[in-house]
């Protein structure tokens, strides 16, 4: 595409812009000044504040008399066009004005929600930042509900999200650098970091990866997460996600780098480690002892969720002596006349659980709640009464599902791993569970994203960072930032010691 510049003829400029932006929602308002000089404002309908344009741009310019103004400023030197441009800037009652000459830059500005002011006789246009895009209010995010702590959540407008971060980090070290992704969407992606605290190599790696890929459309931050992930087909996340500004700013303050995407309420952070899934924002608003208990509970629940169905099937098929005698007799009596094998029965129950979960999520809110209750009660009770499924299998799958939901950020990955463990255990028994766990451990040991091992701080062992992993230490013991992040500013908390003398 050949980049063309504006001409001094207003009508030619409007015709050229209309060829580039022929859509019906691109409107043009033409008016004249006091000395009959033709002017025009070009804007996209629906994303511009028309009242601002009328009161602060069109009305002041319509009262202008360029010859009179130029005569009153005879001391100013310059061409007639330059003097006209200065007069327009002086009389336009708007703080955000930018000169533009190229048509390519003009159409991008208009589509982003800004307006273009053109004056006959000037080959330069003025971009007016009168953007007014409808956004929803800042509310508590539905995916990260907190009993204690802030309840604000990110929204789809990147400017609002940046202001929520700036409100919490009132420091000149907070920096934003924006890039544009998507040939069709032209989405703004903003990289956020603390100068002197974040590792500059991580920021540069993020910027390099974003600039190396060009998509047609970037509607959500999940597209950016896929670009940043070093292992494209991994079931594990390598980029952190959050909808809460307090969590985002806390991770930035530790030395991480954040990414905001216009149009998405989910912010990204790197580097990311698996222990972050076991942490909750409430852990930092309650006592360290209670936070440690809750984190250990999530850790144990995660293992139960992944391995309990597989252990149940392998014990029935290969090692029944692994179960206590009383439990063995109960299982045997309940599954004596079942038409399905233990592994196939577990697959059916787990399939019902996943189907009910997906249906309740996709259906409207109140219908989804009713569907979950009816599906759990009617299907479960009817299947047991008909002798199609056993009660222990339903209890095992239900308890496994409840345990998995104690770690919400790991539900997607945990569901896949639970199916894999169940498949292997039903094929080769307990040895398959051990072999799968060893392979999974090896995979995580070799995983590395932005210089952070996935199993840090356990592998490689970092005793210093263990203070805020599964175990939560008191704030006074967290005086330095995590060594994993290789921050230049290592001090996070300093205590002033004063000597008090008794009188």
């Amino acid at each position: 595409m050949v980049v063309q510049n504006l001409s001094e003829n207003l009508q030619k400029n409007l015709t050229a812009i209309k060829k580039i932006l022929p859509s019906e929602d691109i409107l043009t308002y033409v008016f004249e000044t006091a000395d009959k000089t033709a002017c025009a404002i070009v804007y996209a309908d629906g994303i511009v504040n028309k009242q601002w344009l009328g009161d602060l741009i069109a009305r002041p310019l319509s009262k202008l008399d360029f010859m009179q103004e130029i005569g009153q400023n005879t001391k100013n030197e310059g061409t007639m066009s330059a003097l006209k441009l200065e007069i327009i800037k002086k009389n336009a009652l708007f703080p955000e004005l930018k000169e533009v000459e190229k048509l390519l830059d003009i159409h991008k500005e208009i589509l982003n929600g800004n307006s273009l002011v053109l004056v006959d006789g000037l080959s330069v246009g003025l971009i007016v930042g009168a953007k007014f895009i409808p956004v929803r209010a800042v509310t508590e995010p539905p995916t990260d509900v907190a009993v204690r702590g802030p309840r604000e959540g990110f929204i789809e407008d990147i400017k609002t999200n940046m202001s929520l971060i700036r409100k919490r980090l009132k420091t000149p070290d907070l920096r934003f650098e924006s890039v544009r992704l998507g040939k069709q969407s032209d989405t703004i992606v903003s990289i956020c970091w603390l100068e002197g605290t974040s590792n500059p190599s991580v920021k540069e790696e993020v910027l390099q990866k974003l600039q190396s890929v060009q998509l047609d459309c970037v509607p959500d931050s999940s597209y950016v997460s896929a670009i940043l992930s070093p292992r494209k087909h991994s079931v594990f996340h390598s980029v952190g996600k959050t909808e809460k500004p307090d969590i985002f700013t806390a991770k930035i303050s530790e030395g991480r780098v954040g990414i905001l995407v216009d149009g998405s309420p989910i912010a990204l952070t790197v580097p990311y480690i698996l222990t972050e899934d076991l942490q909750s924002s409430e852990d930092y608003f309650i006592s360290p002892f209670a936070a440690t208990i809750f984190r250990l509970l999530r850790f144990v629940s995660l293992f139960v969720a992944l391995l309990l169905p597989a252990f149940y099937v392998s014990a029935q098929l290969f090692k029944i002596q692994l179960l206590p005698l009383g439990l063995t007799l109960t299982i045997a009596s309940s599954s004596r006349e079942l038409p399905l094998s233990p592994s196939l029965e577990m697959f059916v129950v787990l399939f019902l659980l996943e189907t009910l979960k997906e249906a309740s999520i996709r259906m409207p809110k109140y219908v989804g709640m009713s569907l979950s209750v009816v599906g759990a009660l009617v299907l479960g009770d009817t299947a047991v009464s008909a002798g199609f499924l056993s009660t222990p299998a339903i209890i095992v799958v239900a308890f496994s599902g409840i345990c998995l939901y104690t770690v919400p950020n790991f539900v997607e990955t945990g569901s896949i791993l639970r199916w894999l463990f169940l498949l292997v255990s039903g094929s080769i028994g307990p040895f398959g569970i051990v072999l799968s766990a060893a392979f999974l451990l090896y995979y995580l040991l070799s995983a590395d994203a932005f210089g952070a091992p996935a199993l840090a701080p356990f592998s490689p062992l970092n005793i210093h960072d263990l203070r805020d992993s599964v175990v939560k230490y008191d704030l006074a013991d967290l005086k330095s930032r995590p060594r994993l992040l290789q921050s230049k500013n290592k001090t996070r908390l300093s205590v002033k010691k004063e000597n008090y003398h008794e009188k």
Side-chain angles (χ1 to χ4, degrees):
M1 179 178 180
V2 180
V3 178
Q4 299 177 354
N5 295 333
L6 291 172
S7 67
E8 294 184 356
N9 187 286
L10 177 62
Q11 193 58 43
K12 288 184 178 180
N13 292 334
L14 294 179
T15 303
I17 294 174
K18 196 61 180 177
K19 287 183 179 179
I20 300 176
L21 301 173
S23 180
E24 293 183 356
D25 64 330
I26 306 300
L27 305 181
T28 302
Y29 173 59
V30 180
F31 60 97
E32 291 183 348
T33 63
D35 60 351
K36 303 301 180 180
T37 301
C39 302
I41 300 178
V42 184
Y43 59 93
D45 191 21
I47 58 176
V48 170
N49 193 315
K50 299 178 184 179
Q51 184 177 356
W52 291 354
L53 291 178
D55 294 342
L56 304 180
I57 300 295
R59 186 170 299 171
L61 294 186
S62 64
K63 299 178 181 179
L64 274 181
D65 188 333
F66 284 107
M67 299 307 298
Q68 182 180 356
E69 291 286 340
I70 293 174
Q72 293 176 356
N73 296 274
T74 54
K75 296 182 180 180
N76 295 334
E77 297 181 358
T79 62
M80 186 68 70
S81 298
L83 291 176
K84 280 188 176 182
L85 188 60
E86 290 300 323
I87 293 171
I88 294 173
K89 288 183 178 180
K90 181 180 178 181
N91 287 269
L93 305 177
F94 209 87
E96 298 182 28
L97 296 174
K98 183 176 67 173
E99 297 181 21
V100 64
E101 297 179 357
K102 297 180 179 179
L103 290 175
L104 181 61
D105 297 334
I106 288 173
H107 93 263
K108 287 184 177 181
E109 293 287 352
I110 293 175
L111 294 178
N112 280 329
N114 298 319
S115 303
L116 172 67
V117 178
L118 296 173
V119 179
D120 192 27
L122 292 181
S123 60
V124 178
L126 285 179
I127 295 297
V128 182
K131 183 187 299 184
F132 190 74
I133 300 177
V135 296
R136 65 183 176 94
V138 176
T139 57
E140 185 175 9
T143 59
D144 198 352
V145 180
V147 178
R148 297 185 181 181
R151 287 176 170 80
E152 288 181 331
F154 287 128
I155 63 173
E156 287 76 11
D157 182 55
I158 192 171
K159 296 296 183 182
T160 304
N161 295 341
M162 292 170 67
S163 66
L164 292 175
I165 299 170
R166 179 67 71 179
K167 183 178 71 171
R168 289 168 170 80
L169 295 176
K170 303 178 181 67
T171 170
D173 294 331
L174 179 61
R175 307 292 174 82
F176 293 97
E177 182 174 347
S178 297
V179 297
R180 293 184 178 273
L181 291 182
K183 292 180 291 185
Q184 305 295 337
S185 62
D186 197 32
T187 305
I188 301 176
V189 179
S190 182
I191 304 173
C192 174
W193 77 96
L194 281 178
E195 187 68 26
T197 300
S198 302
N199 190 347
S201 62
V202 175
K203 177 253 176 182
E204 292 298 330
E205 185 178 353
V206 170
L207 185 61
Q208 181 181 2
K209 285 189 174 184
L210 292 180
Q211 293 176 340
S212 63
V213 178
Q214 188 61 266
L215 301 175
D216 283 341
C217 180
V218 182
D220 185 71
S221 59
S222 58
Y223 285 63
V224 178
S225 177
I227 295 174
L228 298 178
S229 299
R231 296 190 174 186
K232 306 301 181 182
H233 306 290
S234 175
V235 297
F236 293 93
H237 302 296
S238 55
V239 178
K241 299 179 181 179
T242 180
E243 286 191 69
K244 301 194 66 180
D246 57 304
I247 298 178
F248 185 84
T249 52
K251 293 185 177 183
I252 295 297
S253 300
E254 285 186 342
R256 289 179 172 85
V257 174
I259 300 98
L260 300 174
V261 181
D262 193 21
S264 175
I266 300 176
L268 310 177
T269 57
V270 290
Y272 167 81
I273 54 178
L274 284 179
T275 54
E276 294 182 46
D277 284 339
L278 302 176
Q279 301 172 358
S280 172
S281 60
E282 294 183 17
D283 296 345
Y284 298 91
F285 303 110
I286 59 179
S287 66
F289 178 77
T292 300
I293 295 298
F294 292 148
R295 288 184 180 182
L296 290 174
L297 178 63
R298 298 183 198 117
F299 186 75
V300 175
S301 298
L302 185 58
F303 274 91
V304 172
L306 297 180
L307 300 178
L308 183 60
F311 177 80
Y312 175 81
V313 170
S314 64
Q316 275 194 289
L317 292 177
F318 298 93
K319 291 287 184 179
I320 194 64
Q321 58 268 37
L322 293 175
L323 302 176
L325 179 60
L327 181 59
T328 302
L329 295 176
T330 302
I331 295 175
S333 61
S334 61
S335 58
R336 180 175 50 192
E337 298 180 355
L338 291 181
L340 304 177
S341 64
S343 58
L344 187 56
E345 177 194 20
M346 187 60 64
F347 267 100
V348 171
V349 179
L350 195 56
F351 177 76
L352 289 176
L353 174 67
E354 296 293 339
T355 304
L356 285 174
K357 182 189 72 174
E358 285 297 314
S360 61
I361 293 175
R362 309 304 170 199
M363 295 293 290
K365 182 178 179 181
Y366 300 105
V367 179
M369 294 175 60
S370 303
L371 180 66
S372 299
V373 174
V374 172
L377 293 179
V378 175
L379 284 180
D381 184 67
T382 305
V384 172
S385 301
F388 187 71
L389 301 174
S390 64
T391 304
I394 294 179
I395 294 175
V396 167
V397 172
F399 186 61
S400 173
I402 294 173
C403 289
L404 185 58
Y405 281 106
T406 60
V407 190
N409 294 332
F410 201 77
V411 170
E412 179 183 347
T413 302
S415 299
I416 298 174
L417 293 179
R418 183 167 55 187
W419 282 102
L420 295 178
F421 276 115
L422 181 60
L423 179 64
V424 175
S425 65
S427 302
I428 54 180
F431 177 72
I433 299 178
V434 176
L435 186 63
S436 300
F439 176 78
L440 184 63
L441 183 61
Y442 171 77
Y443 179 84
L444 292 176
L445 288 173
S446 60
D448 185 293
F450 298 94
L455 292 181
F458 302 100
S459 177
L461 182 62
N462 190 329
I463 298 178
H464 176 272
D465 291 353
L466 290 175
R467 300 178 181 182
D468 191 14
S469 55
V470 177
V471 179
K472 172 69 169 60
Y473 275 50
D474 187 71
L475 181 62
D477 297 322
L478 301 175
K479 296 181 180 180
S480 58
R481 291 183 171 83
R483 295 178 180 175
L484 167 73
L485 303 177
Q486 301 177 6
S487 174
K488 294 181 179 179
N489 183 9
K490 300 184 182 301
T491 303
R492 176 163 53 184
L493 172 67
S494 59
V495 180
K496 296 182 179 180
K497 296 182 179 180
E498 299 179 358
N499 296 323
Y500 295 92
H501 302 282
E502 296 181 0
K503 296 183 179 180

